[in-house]
């Protein structure tokens, strides 16, 4: 079964949201349009709509997360769903219960949606294959594979900043692509939205094999990669990358790939600077850029709620319609 | 047990080792091949097997099978897998030392031989541990393992602590003329990997195992094989480049041979596109170019043997996110058919294909099986070459139902299997 088919219902609508790969431009645009209407809701004084009233959503996090889990929780609550947060640390799963057992136990409590984060690539797909037909799965990050809602909130941010025509945009993604699920999801989304030029900027050790096959141009020199860029997305650099001989030091990384105002001046004057967070100030970028006028890093967080509301309501749409029909 | 005198009548006898491919009767007495063609004067068979329209070949030898016993009887047992082997036309299974306890003492070897004999199905030959507990540090008591009947020594996929230990282990094995079975994978380059490192591992975000994990290990091992003169065999090569390196070494008269596992001849990294756990293999499925290179290596004779790389699992072992699943596939049920399919698809001639699972492995293992010469053990596989069947879990004889070939159309159906002149499988009994 192709991953794309797993995500999409026979009528073309979203069933699960596991990856931006395998979706259509129409679906991505629908998510962005829907998020636009929810952005209005989140800006009102009463920030709730009753779309998912009576639905139960479980945030099933096998990996620590603050921002993603919180915004998913807020999104679900603003849709009037009941939310359960379950943080399973690695030690609990080694006590013997398999992932499938955990899942079955939760399903027995009549759950409607799982929001899943796990350190293993493919976990969201695995869960989506094993849930009951009425249950939807949203991938909140699986290993290095995908983080599609993050990518969509980034697309939403770009659309708000630059307009809907991605074809004329040059987007540079800078940093640790090898370990980044965010970058993979962004690349698929950017290409589905027909972005003119998608670039990756990093040393060879942080670029995975045959990355060009994803539809990106590779740069090793930050200045070259930033030239005429409309959008710069900085990726987070984990400290442990120094241990595996991927990089000599944070100092050298910052010198070569850290974003400073001086380097940013090579990009277009109205360049937008993004970061999925959390930022390592003085490693990926300096504070002047992070807090500067071109940075939209905090807007990204705000938009994250609207985008997650959009995805959750779209994935549950079929079920709510069916029930409404059944009642009339 | 008294052994019946048997005549296998009217089949197409294909015995690659003895260059026979003709319709000939096969006469068996006292568990051994008595005659091929006309029966000796006065020979009276107790049993006559009608093999008209069927192919009669030496019983298959599977170079590389995990039987899971002792230690993991929830996955499979010697009894279950020896019977499954018989149903698949396999008369000799070669098991690996990575059991629990590890096969590093004569006691474990004896246990396995004993259990296998009790099943009365396929026989088992044993590869012992190269180092104690497969820990890669202290040499195992290789001479004792040899006396207990081990056909060679191996450290499986476990790394040796250093190249110095590897050198010493090779020298010590060479002292007793023991074959060393090698799994070429550089530990540091393979660490944490669960699939081939390439564009698909990039797409799926799965930790990759680069081609160099194999070629670096092959280069290092070949240098030490040359230095020590040990007889060595590379198990389950996966890359085109490693095949070329082995071909070159054989040309240079380095005493080395190599085999390939069936899945690597039919599948590639592309099959993992949907995180399907049945495609999780270690060593991994490589590129389509590697798959083609392995097929070429098999037909050119660089790869002299073909193995099932049988790894039966309980269902739960594959029910997890891809990296958390256990690698490997159950392969005894499909070894014969997927070997025949290679000939059917013209990658090699039928006798050559059969040689890769009979006399090829026999030569590597240095065992007197895999051929039907006069006086040899009467290990025979009799199959219907025209029959086709579809693989489903219900029809699998192995305890492990984990296979990437479910639903595949399989050519060739085993009718009878004989080991030492005993009928150990008869499809009519099912």
């Amino acid at each position: 079964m192709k991953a794309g088919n797993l995500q999409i219902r026979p009528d073309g609508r979203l069933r699960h949201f596991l990856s931006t790969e395998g979706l259509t431009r129409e679906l991505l645009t629908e998510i962005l349009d829907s998020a636009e209407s929810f952005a209005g809701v989140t800006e009102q004084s009463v920030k709730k709509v009753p779309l998912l009233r009576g639905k139960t959503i479980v945030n099933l996090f096998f990996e620590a997360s603050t921002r993603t889990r919180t915004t998913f929780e807020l999104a679900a609550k603003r849709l009037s769903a009941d939310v359960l947060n379950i943080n399973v640390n690695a030690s609990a799963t080694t006590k013997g219960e398999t992932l499938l057992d955990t899942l079955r136990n939760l399903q027995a409590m009549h759950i409607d949606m799982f929001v899943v984060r796990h350190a293993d690539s493919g976990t969201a797909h695995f869960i989506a294959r094993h849930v009951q037909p009425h249950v939807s799965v949203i991938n909140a990050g699986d290993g290095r594979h995908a983080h599609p809602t993050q990518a969509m909130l980034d697309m939403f941010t770009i659309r708000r900043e630059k307009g809907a025509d991605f074809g004329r945009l040059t987007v540079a993604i800078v940093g640790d692509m090898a370990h980044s699920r965010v970058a993979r999801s962004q690349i698929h989304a950017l290409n589905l939205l027909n972005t003119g030029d998608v670039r990756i900027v990093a040393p060879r050790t942080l670029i995975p094999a045959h990355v060009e096959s994803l539809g990106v141009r590779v740069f090793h020199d930050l200045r070259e990669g930033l030239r005429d860029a409309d959008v710069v997305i900085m990726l987070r650099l984990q400290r442990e990358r120094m241990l595996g001989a991927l990089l000599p030091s944070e100092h050298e990384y910052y010198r070569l790939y850290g974003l400073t105002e001086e380097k940013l001046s090579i990009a277009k004057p109205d360049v937008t600077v993004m970061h999925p967070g959390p930022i390592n100030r003085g490693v990926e970028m300096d504070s002047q850029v992070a807090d500067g006028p071109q940075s939209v890093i905090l807007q990204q967080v705000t938009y994250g709620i609207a985008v997650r509301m959009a995805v959750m309501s779209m994935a549950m749409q079929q079920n709510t319609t069916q029930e409404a029909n059944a009642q009339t | 047990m008294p052994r019946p005198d048997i005549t296998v009548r009217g089949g197409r006898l294909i015995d690659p080792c003895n260059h026979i491919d003709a319709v000939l009767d096969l006469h068996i007495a006292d568990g051994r091949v008595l005659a091929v063609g006309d029966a000796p004067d006065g020979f009276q068979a107790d049993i006559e097997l009608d093999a008209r329209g069927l192919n009669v070949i030496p019983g298959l030898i599977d170079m590389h099978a995990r039987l899971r016993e002792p230690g993991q009887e929830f996955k499979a047992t010697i009894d279950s897998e020896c019977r499954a082997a018989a149903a698949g036309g396999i008369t000799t299974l070669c098991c690996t030392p990575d059991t629990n306890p590890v096969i590093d003492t004569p006691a474990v070897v004896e246990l396995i031989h004993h259990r296998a004999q009790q099943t009365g199905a396929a026989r088992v030959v044993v590869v012992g541990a190269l180092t104690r507990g497969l820990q890669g540090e202290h040499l195992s008591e290789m001479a004792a393992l040899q006396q207990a009947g081990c056909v060679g020594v191996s450290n499986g996929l476990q790394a040796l602590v250093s190249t110095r230990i590897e050198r010493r282990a090779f020298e010590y094995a060479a002292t007793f003329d023991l074959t060393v079975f090698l799994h070429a994978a550089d530990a540091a380059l393979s660490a944490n990997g669960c699939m081939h490192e390439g564009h698909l591992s990039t797409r799926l975000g799965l930790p990759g195992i680069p081609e160099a994990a194999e070629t670096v290990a092959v280069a290092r091992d070949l240098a030490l094989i040359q230095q020590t003169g040990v007889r060595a065999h590379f198990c389950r090569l996966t890359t085109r480049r490693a095949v070329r390196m082995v071909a070159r070494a054989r040309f240079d008269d380095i005493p080395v041979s190599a085999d390939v596992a069936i899945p690597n001849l039919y599948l590639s990294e592309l099959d993992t596109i949907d995180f399907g756990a049945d495609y999780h293999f270690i060593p991994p499925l490589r590129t389509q170019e590697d798959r083609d290179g392995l097929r070429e290596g098999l037909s050119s004779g660089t790869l002299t043997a073909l193995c099932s790389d049988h790894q039966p699992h309980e269902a739960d072992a594959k029910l997890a996110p891809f990296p958390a699943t256990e690698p490997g596939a159950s392969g005894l049920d499909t070894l014969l058919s997927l070997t025949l399919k290679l000939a059917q698809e013209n990658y090699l001639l039928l006798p050559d294909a059969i040689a890769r699972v009979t006399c090829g492995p026999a030569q590597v293992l240095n065992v007197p099986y895999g051929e039907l010469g006069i006086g040899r053990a009467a290990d025979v596989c009799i199959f219907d070459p025209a029959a086709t069947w579809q693989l489903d879990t219900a029809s699998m004889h192995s305890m492990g139902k984990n296979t990437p070939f479910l639903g595949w159309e399989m050519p060739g159906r085993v009718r009878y299997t004989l080991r030492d002149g005993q009928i150990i499988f008869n499809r009519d009994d099912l």
Side-chain angles (χ1 to χ4, degrees):
Chain A
M1 193 190 294
K2 299 290 285 180
N5 299 343
L6 192 61
Q7 300 190 85
I8 300 173
R9 296 179 195 277
D11 66 1
R13 283 191 287 176
L14 199 66
R15 163 150 193 224
H16 305 294
F17 194 39
L18 310 175
S19 168
T20 47
E21 188 184 9
L23 296 185
T24 60
R25 176 145 47 123
E26 290 66 35
L27 262 175
L28 294 196
T29 305
E30 192 186 336
I31 292 171
L32 297 177
D33 292 346
S34 170
E36 198 65 61
S37 67
F38 284 119
V41 172
T42 61
E43 283 154 16
Q44 288 164 11
S45 57
V46 177
K47 303 180 182 63
K48 259 193 166 175
V49 289
L51 275 173
L52 298 187
R53 189 156 53 201
K55 299 290 178 190
T56 306
I57 295 175
V58 171
N59 283 330
L60 188 56
F61 277 58
F62 295 87
E63 234 185 22
S65 157
T66 310
R67 183 185 334 233
T68 302
R69 209 213 61 213
T70 310
T71 51
F72 265 111
E73 186 175 350
L74 270 178
K77 285 181 170 164
R78 287 180 183 171
L79 292 166
S80 307
D82 295 319
V83 187
L84 204 61
N85 289 314
I86 298 182
N87 298 312
V88 191
N89 57 24
S91 64
T93 45
T94 54
K95 278 178 189 164
E97 189 174 67
T98 66
L99 175 58
L100 211 50
D101 284 332
T102 307
L103 199 70
R104 284 172 179 150
N105 275 286
L106 288 166
Q107 278 199 137
M109 301 172 200
H110 301 291
I111 303 302
D112 298 289
M113 175 181 283
F114 286 105
V115 176
V116 185
R117 169 171 288 194
H118 197 286
D120 283 335
S121 300
T123 301
H125 282 79
F126 172 74
I127 291 177
R129 276 207 188 90
H130 287 92
V131 290
Q132 294 159 348
H134 70 278
V135 177
S136 290
V137 177
I138 309 286
N139 187 0
D142 63 326
R144 305 171 188 173
H145 173 237
H147 193 351
T149 59
Q150 174 70 43
M152 289 315 292
L153 76 86
D154 295 331
M155 298 308 112
F156 186 82
T157 309
I158 294 172
R159 197 169 83 161
R160 277 223 161 171
E161 293 293 318
K162 302 291 176 192
D165 181 10
F166 279 65
R168 53 179 192 81
L169 296 182
T170 292
V171 179
I173 301 172
V174 182
D176 185 4
M177 162 81 200
H179 300 88
S180 177
R181 53 194 173 208
V182 173
R184 285 175 172 79
S185 286
Q186 286 168 339
I187 290 166
H188 292 306
L190 286 167
N191 283 322
L192 275 171
L193 294 169
N194 279 346
T195 306
D197 187 3
V198 184
R199 302 173 178 177
I200 281 287
V201 189
R204 292 273 304 262
T205 47
L206 300 182
I207 294 180
H210 305 294
V211 75
E212 307 80 12
S213 66
L214 300 181
V216 295
R217 293 206 295 146
V218 176
F219 292 79
H220 301 305
D221 183 302
L222 180 57
R223 286 166 205 275
E224 279 178 39
L226 289 179
R227 196 169 309 284
D228 298 324
D230 298 283
V231 177
V232 181
I233 301 175
M234 303 302 292
L235 299 173
R236 177 175 165 75
L237 185 78
Q238 308 272 352
R239 292 257 152 87
E240 66 253 30
R241 302 301 168 227
M242 311 307 147
L243 301 175
L246 292 164
L247 292 172
S249 66
E250 285 181 6
H251 177 255
E252 177 147 308
Y253 183 77
Y254 176 70
R255 195 167 61 77
L256 296 175
Y257 297 99
L259 192 60
T260 59
E261 284 190 317
E262 183 266 320
K263 287 179 194 154
L264 193 58
S265 67
I266 298 164
K268 289 222 178 109
D270 64 342
V271 65
T272 297
V273 175
M274 297 165 57
H275 191 298
I279 310 174
N280 293 312
R281 288 169 187 261
V283 181
E284 294 114 45
M285 59 170 74
D286 70 13
S287 288
Q288 278 136 312
V289 176
D291 305 328
Q294 280 139 335
S295 163
V296 293
I297 294 171
L298 290 176
Q299 284 95 311
Q300 287 176 266
V301 179
T302 310
Y303 299 154
I305 300 169
V307 166
R308 284 168 181 134
M309 287 173 79
V311 170
M312 286 173 153
S313 59
M314 281 170 66
M316 297 300 293
Q317 196 176 23
Q318 177 107 343
N319 299 331
T320 42
T321 332
Q322 273 172 358
E323 279 163 33
N325 291 344
Q327 279 165 12
T328 52
Chain B
M1 211 189 314
R3 296 168 204 267
D5 290 346
I6 298 175
T7 290
V8 180
R9 179 121 21 231
R12 175 183 170 189
L13 187 80
I14 307 173
D15 179 8
C17 183
N18 294 302
H19 308 287
I20 294 173
D21 181 0
V23 174
L24 288 168
D25 295 344
L26 175 70
H27 309 283
I28 296 163
D30 199 26
R32 295 184 174 275
V33 176
L34 179 68
V36 170
D38 294 335
D41 288 343
F43 178 74
Q44 270 290 338
D46 304 312
I47 298 172
E48 188 163 308
L49 299 177
D50 182 2
R52 284 173 299 174
L54 305 180
N55 286 1
V56 179
I57 65 173
L60 273 55
I61 301 174
D62 194 347
M63 283 283 300
H64 201 263
R66 285 188 170 81
L67 308 180
R68 305 300 192 192
E69 185 181 353
Q72 291 186 300
E73 289 83 354
F74 55 95
K75 290 184 187 291
T77 63
I78 291 170
D79 186 70
S80 70
E81 301 319 283
C82 285
R83 290 176 197 284
I90 301 162
T91 49
T92 303
L93 286 170
C94 181
C95 77
T96 55
D98 51 354
T99 47
N100 182 18
V102 164
I103 308 176
D104 60 358
T105 59
V108 185
V109 182
E110 282 157 21
L111 170 92
I112 291 169
H113 281 152
H114 178 65
R115 288 279 160 82
Q117 274 156 19
Q118 278 183 324
T119 70
R123 81 167 66 75
V124 175
V125 297
V126 177
V127 170
L130 184 68
T131 62
R132 208 184 298 163
L134 297 177
Q135 297 291 305
E137 203 167 0
H138 302 284
L139 299 183
S140 68
E141 293 181 354
M142 293 183 211
L145 291 170
Q146 186 178 37
Q147 274 163 12
C150 284
V151 294
V153 282
S154 172
N155 223 55
L157 280 171
Q158 308 265 50
L160 298 171
V161 166
S162 71
T163 33
R164 188 172 59 87
I165 304 284
E166 182 171 349
R167 177 199 170 172
R168 296 304 181 211
F170 284 11
E171 284 175 339
Y172 196 72
T175 308
F176 307 102
D177 200 26
L178 271 165
T179 305
V180 176
F181 293 84
L182 298 165
H183 298 262
D186 183 82
L189 286 173
S190 331
N192 304 321
C194 61
M195 71 173 291
H196 172 68
E197 181 181 296
H199 70 95
L200 206 68
S201 69
T202 290
R203 196 166 278 262
L204 298 177
L206 288 170
I209 302 172
E211 176 193 58
E214 182 163 290
T215 51
V216 163
V218 168
R220 181 199 60 209
D221 294 347
L222 282 174
L224 288 171
I225 292 163
Q226 191 166 31
Q227 165 99 28
T228 61
V230 73
R231 188 172 57 238
H233 177 80
F234 287 106
C235 303
R236 304 179 296 166
L237 290 182
T238 64
T239 65
R240 175 193 286 263
R241 282 202 172 84
V243 173
R244 285 196 190 147
M245 292 163 81
V246 170
R248 174 71 213 211
R250 285 167 68 87
F251 181 77
D252 290 343
D253 288 328
I254 297 173
V256 69
S257 54
D259 70 58
V260 58
I262 282 272
N264 292 77
L265 294 172
Y266 286 103
L267 308 172
S268 76
E269 54 165 350
L270 297 179
D271 290 295
T272 51
I273 183 92
D274 287 324
F275 296 105
D278 282 330
Y279 302 96
H280 183 191
F281 288 90
I282 302 290
L285 300 172
R286 299 282 183 183
T287 65
Q288 292 184 310
E289 291 72 37
D290 287 315
R291 185 198 59 192
D292 296 344
L294 292 167
R295 286 174 175 173
E296 284 160 25
L298 197 67
S299 67
S300 72
T302 299
L303 304 171
T304 54
L306 183 54
C307 69
S308 73
D309 190 16
H310 180 62
Q311 300 190 44
H313 285 297
E314 79 284 16
D316 280 350
K318 293 287 186 183
L319 280 175
F322 189 92
T325 56
E326 293 184 57
S330 183
L332 298 180
D333 284 272
T334 48
L335 179 62
L336 174 67
S337 290
L338 291 175
T339 301
L340 296 174
K341 199 177 175 74
L342 289 168
Q344 200 179 55
E345 294 178 0
N346 295 321
Y347 295 111
L348 64 179
L349 298 171
L350 181 61
D352 290 337
I354 291 167
R356 301 295 182 270
V357 287
T358 55
C359 53
Q363 197 177 11
V364 172
L365 297 168
N366 196 23
V367 292
Y369 313 122
E371 59 150 309
L372 295 171
I374 309 298
R376 293 287 181 172
D379 293 357
V380 190
C381 166
I382 303 168
F383 67 93
D384 181 351
T388 58
W389 54 290
Q390 208 176 37
L391 183 67
D392 58 55
T393 51
S395 65
M396 287 177 76
H397 292 84
S398 168
M399 247 171 89
K401 311 298 181 195
N402 50 300
T403 167
F405 298 109
L406 281 184
W408 281 44
E409 195 80 358
M410 297 283 173
R413 199 73 161 129
V414 176
R415 188 71 67 81
Y416 305 102
T417 307
L418 282 65
R419 194 255 310 132
D420 290 318
Q422 304 271 10
I423 298 172
I424 58 172
F425 176 77
N426 179 349
R427 183 156 299 280
D428 296 338
D429 294 343
L430 284 182

